[in-house]
Amino acid sequence: MGDTDAPRTFVIIGNGVAGTTAAETLRKGDATARIILIGDEPHPLYNRVALPKVLKGITAPERTFIKTLAWHTDNNVELLLNTTVVRIDPERQLVETDTHGAFTYHRLLVATGGTPNLLNVDGARGTKGIYHFQTLDDTTTILDRIRKSKHAIVTGGSFIAYELTEGFRHHGVRTTWMIRGTRFLHRILDAEGGAFVDRLAKAVGVETVYEDEITSVNAGADGEISSVNCRSGAIIDCDLLGAGLGLRMRIECLRDTGVKVNRGIVTNEFLETSVPNIYAAGDVAEFFDVSIGTHNQMGTWNNAGSHGKTAGANMLGARQEYREVPYYTSTMFDSQMAAIGIMPESVPTMEALGRMNEERGVYRRLFFHEGRLAGAALIGDIRIRRQLMDMIRSQRQVSNAEREQFLTV
Ligand SMILES: Cc1cc2nc3c(=O)[nH]c(=O)nc-3n(C[C@H](O)[C@H](O)[C@H](O)COP(=O)(O)OP(=O)(O)OC[C@H]3O[C@@H](n4cnc5c(N)ncnc54)[C@H](O)[C@@H]3O)c2cc1C
């Protein structure tokens, strides 16, 4: 099917920030196109970044909504909720859903994000009191449970594991944070940064355990979690378990399509996949990042939104390269943290320089790619992030004096 004078049909899978921003961009650029936005959650776009505050009970769930159902109607965007795309047929340019039949498309965007890796140990399946943290509905369910809990365990060394730990302890629940590696974010922070986070955790009463992991889960006769067994031989009693074990990408609907996938969906710098008229955006896109000359994948809100804009523009016929410096900021117990630009998970060969100022409680770690600043991790005073983002954008070689200046805290 090619472009004709008849209105075009754009189909978007996933109504997160990437998919919804793409729908908005498409509507701005084409007043008559048919736009179908399909999502398997029951809600229009809400702010995932606000979920940790919902978990703490600081923000009401309804305050997280960014788009109303009426916005979709007003903008003539057909929103299908509780609907899963189960198959794509690139030959016929068709997507099949589980509950709303099939739709043909001129251009298709896959913005399906990821889903949490499940805690896959003996006894975990079917045991009550084990939670993963990804959606608004997860958050309200966990919040109900926290209010009845006394001792929580969190497993994982990711940002999500941190958010669960912080959420639990915020409610006064005794919290043990178990990390399989030697420290939090072990690829991003060095030993000094990891030790700093450990001090921040302990200062608010969190019990930390490193180089250990849960090997099985025990439940009482009521099916509720009662304790976990650890590789070290320890048995820890608990009535709540949070798992932050990373994401698996939602690429299952691309099976047998010929679209090139790796961990995510591989795209070029225009967010086009290997199959004509199919684009990918957001967390799921493993895009060619012109700033580092290689493929890259991000898990940040602003990257996903910017991807949505770029993909939408290109689906309309533009040739925009994706060029943004992503950043992620969050609390870090009673301090704060920022991760900017490219992280060593994407480019493990980057040169890294770290510095800790104990007195001021400030930590910085900078990542250089071929002599240029590519990324940074900051804890404590993170105000320098704008300056660092400008330097990353400039793509110029950083002198030793400038390196020293950025590291001086
Ligand atoms: C608790 C939490 C806190 C976070 N905090 C921060 C933060 O502080 N800063 C930051 O930058 N980022 C943060 N993030 C990450 C950020 O939220 C994500 O990077 C961003 O939301 C990704 O957007 P997306 O549109 O790519 O994917 P998603 O938001 O994952 O949306 C994809 C949607 O597609 C749906 N879907 C998947 N497959 C199908 C299918 N086959 N059919 C129909 N629908 C489908 C999914 O259910 C989902 O609703 C946080 C994430 C979480 C979970």
Side-chain angles (χ1 to χ4, degrees):
M1 191 188 300
D3 287 348
T4 67
D5 288 342
R8 296 180 285 186
T9 300
F10 297 111
V11 175
I12 301 168
I13 314 175
N15 72 317
V17 63
T20 306
T21 306
E24 198 164 14
T25 308
L26 288 165
R27 178 53 73 222
K28 277 188 193 142
D30 187 336
T32 58
R34 183 172 186 204
I35 301 173
I36 304 168
L37 180 57
I38 306 170
D40 60 5
E41 290 187 57
H43 308 292
L45 178 66
Y46 59 87
N47 187 355
R48 272 194 215 289
V49 173
L51 297 184
K53 282 195 174 157
V54 177
L55 191 67
K56 287 184 184 173
I58 296 171
T59 298
E62 54 278 13
R63 297 291 302 268
T64 62
F65 286 105
I66 296 175
K67 293 285 188 234
T68 58
L69 293 175
W71 177 87
H72 298 81
T73 316
D74 294 348
N75 287 279
N76 197 14
V77 171
E78 296 170 46
L79 176 65
L80 306 179
L81 295 175
N82 293 310
T83 305
T84 305
V85 169
V86 288
R87 203 174 77 88
I88 298 168
D89 180 343
E91 290 290 314
R92 294 161 64 208
Q93 300 206 176
L94 181 113
V95 298
E96 264 175 41
T97 70
D98 57 347
T99 50
H100 280 84
F103 302 92
T104 53
Y105 60 82
H106 290 89
R107 302 243 154 97
L108 170 69
L109 177 64
V110 185
T112 46
T115 189
N117 289 319
L118 302 183
L119 178 67
N120 190 11
V121 297
D122 279 353
R125 206 162 176 197
T127 293
K128 294 180 211 151
I130 303 177
Y131 299 94
H132 303 84
F133 185 25
Q134 175 72 7
T135 66
L136 180 58
D137 292 353
D138 291 342
T139 315
T140 49
T141 308
I142 304 172
L143 188 55
D144 281 349
R145 176 72 185 212
I146 292 178
R147 293 184 169 135
K148 298 176 211 143
S149 300
K150 293 204 164 50
H151 186 184
I153 297 185
V154 176
T155 174
S158 64
F159 270 112
I160 296 299
Y162 157 72
E163 297 291 6
L164 284 165
T165 303
E166 171 61 359
F168 295 165
R169 78 94 200 169
H170 180 87
H171 288 275
V173 177
R174 180 181 164 200
T175 305
T176 304
W177 186 10
M178 185 178 292
I179 295 178
R180 190 174 54 176
T182 51
R183 58 184 174 271
F184 173 59
L185 297 179
H186 70 105
R187 290 196 201 90
I188 297 177
L189 304 180
D190 58 11
E192 216 173 19
F196 183 32
V197 172
D198 187 67
R199 286 198 296 281
L200 292 170
K202 287 186 170 132
V204 295
V206 170
E207 297 162 29
T208 52
V209 177
Y210 300 95
E211 298 183 85
D212 203 359
E213 63 186 317
I214 296 170
T215 49
S216 59
V217 169
N218 306 308
D222 53 2
E224 298 282 348
I225 189 165
S226 57
S227 63
V228 297
N229 300 327
C230 307
R231 186 164 36 84
S232 61
I235 301 172
I236 308 176
D237 290 340
C238 63
D239 50 14
L240 170 62
L241 173 55
L245 301 169
L247 294 180
R248 168 179 72 74
M249 293 300 123
R250 297 280 309 268
I251 52 179
E252 60 275 10
C253 62
L254 291 164
R255 220 178 5 249
D256 303 327
T257 57
V259 170
K260 188 171 175 202
V261 293
N262 192 17
R263 179 173 174 261
I265 303 170
V266 178
T267 77
N268 61 13
E269 61 274 43
F270 305 111
L271 303 176
E272 295 166 317
T273 70
S274 58
V275 168
N277 299 318
I278 303 183
Y279 297 71
D283 281 9
V284 80
E286 204 171 316
F287 61 100
F288 186 80
D289 188 335
V290 288
S291 68
I292 46 170
T294 182
H295 281 84
N296 193 10
Q297 202 170 1
M298 300 280 179
T300 71
W301 179 266
N302 76 321
N303 173 73
S306 302
H307 263 193
K309 241 184 225 163
T310 302
N314 290 340
M315 289 164 80
L316 287 165
R319 293 297 281 170
Q320 282 182 17
E321 279 181 357
Y322 177 76
R323 261 178 205 274
E324 289 279 336
V325 179
Y327 64 90
Y328 189 113
T329 55
S330 93
T331 61
M332 189 44 58
F333 300 108
D334 283 348
S335 186
Q336 51 189 340
M337 175 161 184
I340 304 161
I342 313 294
M343 291 292 118
E345 282 118 326
S346 305
V347 185
T349 52
M350 286 194 295
E351 180 194 356
L353 292 176
R355 182 93 43 97
M356 172 80 216
N357 183 325
E358 297 281 350
E359 209 175 300
R360 292 190 53 223
V362 179
Y363 170 83
R364 285 184 193 156
R365 193 158 195 239
L366 307 181
F367 303 108
F368 298 91
H369 182 61
E370 295 169 353
R372 301 186 305 260
L373 185 66
L378 313 171
I379 307 176
D381 184 345
I382 60 171
R383 282 174 299 179
I384 197 172
R385 73 182 186 282
R386 301 259 165 237
Q387 215 179 319
L388 295 175
M389 285 168 79
D390 287 344
M391 179 56 98
I392 294 172
R393 268 188 214 105
S394 78
Q395 297 222 347
R396 67 174 178 77
Q397 296 288 311
V398 186
S399 68
N400 285 340
E402 285 170 320
R403 289 177 181 220
E404 188 52 35
Q405 183 206 326
F406 288 142
L407 280 170
T408 303
V409 290

